[in-house]
Each structure stands twice: as structure tokens, then as C-alpha cells.
Amino acid sequence: MPIASTPVSIFDIAGSAMTAQSQRMNVTASNLANADSTVGPDGLPYRARQVVFETAAAAGHDVGGVRVARVVEDPSPLRRVHDPKNPAADADGYVDLPNVNVVEEMVNMISASRSYQANVEVLNTAKTLMLKTLSVGQ
């Protein structure tokens, strides 16, 4: 059976992981960019978002790649800071800031980056093994 017609190939699995991790990095970058914004386009403080993954197995297979099931808002409470000079402050001088934890977001970004790099290595190793297999008969 040719590799291209295999329903679950290593290239499909690694490619799906790279796509999912890329989306995770985009969400993390969005969280970091809005870490100090006081008001979003809807007039409310930004809420951190997290990516939820799920298995993307082909029909009839137990194994497969991964895909982003959904992006959910972090339900943790907003940061409340006393800053009476801020134009977004309420009558008591408090400002609601996004619930983005910069340290956690940096860990998420490093984890997504490392996972992406690992999948690139999987692709390169699979390609090298296939080329070596083709050269065995020569």
C-alpha cells in the first residue's frame, strides 16, 4: 500500500500537531499582547484564552493526529488594581485588568514551541528513513 493512501501516516500526524501547536502559539501571543489592556472592543476587560486539543483519528483507527477542539476563555477572576489616575478606573479608583498570567503564558509559548520543533524533527527523521529505505536496493 502506498504511503500517500495510508489513512494514518506519520506526515499527517506530525502535520496536524504542528498546525495545532501553531494555533496554540497564536492564542498565547494574543494573551500576552492584551495582558495590560483595560478595555476590549466589547467594552469589557480582555479574558485570557486557552486552547483545548482533541484526538483527530481517522475513521476506524485508534490513533491519529491532533486538532484544536475549541478555544475557551479562562474563567479565573480579573486582576483588580488600585490606580485612581487611570481613565478606566471606577469611582473607588480600581481598574479591572485582564486575567492573563504572563509567566504561565510564557511557559505555554515555550511548550508549544518545543512541541512544534519536536514534530519538525519527526518529519525530518521519517523523510530520512524513507530515503534510506529507497536506497537499500541500489
Side-chain angles (χ1 to χ4, degrees):
M1 178 182 299
I3 292 173
S5 66
T6 303
V8 181
S9 77
I10 193 167
F11 295 107
D12 292 337
I13 293 171
S16 70
M18 291 168 61
T19 301
Q21 294 299 340
S22 175
Q23 191 165 351
R24 182 179 173 201
M25 282 192 275
N26 285 337
V27 169
T28 302
S30 176
N31 287 343
L32 288 172
N34 290 292
D36 291 326
S37 61
T38 56
V39 179
D42 57 356
L44 299 172
Y46 179 82
R47 289 207 165 261
R49 290 168 172 77
Q50 301 296 325
V51 175
V52 178
F53 293 142
E54 69 180 6
T55 303
H61 292 273
D62 294 335
V63 295
V66 64
R67 69 174 163 244
V68 174
R70 60 191 176 279
V71 177
V72 297
E73 284 189 356
D74 185 347
S76 62
L78 298 172
R79 290 183 292 143
R80 194 159 173 82
V81 176
H82 185 72
D83 186 8
K85 292 182 181 177
N86 191 318
D90 62 10
D92 297 328
Y94 285 95
V95 179
D96 288 330
L97 293 174
N99 57 350
V100 175
N101 183 328
V102 175
V103 175
E104 287 179 10
E105 296 301 327
M106 290 304 296
V107 170
N108 278 339
M109 184 167 280
I110 291 170
S111 173
S113 174
R114 297 283 191 238
S115 180
Y116 190 93
Q117 290 172 345
N119 282 290
V120 168
E121 288 300 317
V122 167
L123 286 177
N124 285 333
T125 302
K127 182 179 80 176
T128 302
L129 288 173
M130 288 183 172
L131 288 174
K132 294 277 185 189
T133 303
L134 289 175
S135 66
V136 166
Q138 295 178 349

